[in-house]
Amino acid sequence: MYLVNQCFPWKCGKDRTGGGCKNNGLARLTWSKGSICPALLVLIGDLERSMRVILQACAAVLICGSFGAAAAQAPQQPVPSETTVERQYRALANRDTQIGIYLNVLPDCTSGPLPTIRLVSPPTAGKVVVKTAKAKATNYKACLALEVPAYVAFYKAPPEFLGDDTLTIEVKYHGGRTEIQKITVKVSGPGGQQKI
């Protein structure tokens, strides 16, 4: 209503006296023919400032949102973890003894990439061999039955050796996880594992 009163100083309608149109008191304001009402210029300036502030706010929100979205879409690389485990096995001299099986079963029960296996410190007396195999399992996690490729590690002590033999194996999985396995093999003679 302010704009109407400023630019068009005549108010039509019934006043208290029941009369018709009357001057709203601003009729003495004049401007040249063809020019824009000064109140309109003020209003346009106010609108322009308001729109500029709104556009700047929208731009700031869009920019901040795009950075947030980019940060949310950027894959978070987990820090590769390294764990150390210690294992003990009993073995007979001059016989192959399984000391590890390494496989990678995905959530859909298929095989993922097999890990890389490295002998960090070899055994002092025996030998370690890794062979490829097919691992078959039932009721493994959510998999009712599966058959996947695997690596199987074997230890074999010479016939004359009795006692403890130690070795360290490093297993690197596809996702960056590394497992250091410190293995102790207790080697006994042919009757050493029987309990009487």
Side-chain angles (χ1 to χ4, degrees), residues 16-35:
R16 282 183 268 167
T17 62
C21 295
K22 68 175 193 165
N23 186 328
N24 66 3
L26 299 172
R28 63 184 175 275
L29 293 176
T30 59
W31 53 88
S32 62
K33 189 173 182 174
S35 67

Side-chain angles (χ1 to χ4, degrees), residues 69-77:
Q73 291 175 355
Q76 298 294 328
Q77 296 294 333

Side-chain angles (χ1 to χ4, degrees), residues 91-97 123-128 155-165 185-190:
L92 293 174
N94 204 27
R95 296 244 176 113
D96 285 336
T97 303
T124 54
K127 291 186 177 184
V128 175
Y155 169 84
K156 185 175 185 179
E160 67 281 352
F161 180 78
L162 296 175
D164 292 351
D165 204 357
V185 182
K186 297 183 178 290
V187 181
S188 60

Side-chain angles (χ1 to χ4, degrees), residues 57-126:
C58 289
V61 167
L62 287 175
I63 290 171
C64 291
S66 66
F67 284 136
Q73 291 175 355
Q76 298 294 328
Q77 296 294 333
V79 177
S81 61
E82 182 175 299
T83 57
T84 301
V85 294
E86 294 185 11
R87 298 204 169 116
Q88 291 187 356
Y89 296 94
R90 293 187 179 270
L92 293 174
N94 204 27
R95 296 244 176 113
D96 285 336
T97 303
Q98 181 180 321
I99 57 171
I101 183 166
Y102 310 99
L103 48 96
N104 185 4
V105 179
L106 299 176
D108 66 350
C109 301
T110 60
S111 176
L114 290 175
T116 303
I117 302 169
R118 182 173 71 96
L119 188 60
V120 177
S121 61
T124 54

Side-chain angles (χ1 to χ4, degrees), residues 4-82:
V4 172
N5 286 338
Q6 290 293 318
C7 293
F8 306 100
W10 292 94
K11 189 192 291 183
C12 291
K14 297 210 175 193
D15 62 1
R16 282 183 268 167
T17 62
C21 295
K22 68 175 193 165
N23 186 328
N24 66 3
L26 299 172
R28 63 184 175 275
L29 293 176
T30 59
W31 53 88
S32 62
K33 189 173 182 174
S35 67
I36 298 176
C37 169
L40 276 176
L41 290 176
V42 171
L43 179 66
I44 290 171
D46 288 345
L47 283 175
E48 185 179 329
R49 280 189 293 280
S50 299
M51 291 303 292
R52 189 177 304 126
V53 169
I54 290 170
L55 287 175
Q56 288 172 348
C58 289
V61 167
L62 287 175
I63 290 171
C64 291
S66 66
F67 284 136
Q73 291 175 355
Q76 298 294 328
Q77 296 294 333
V79 177
S81 61
E82 182 175 299

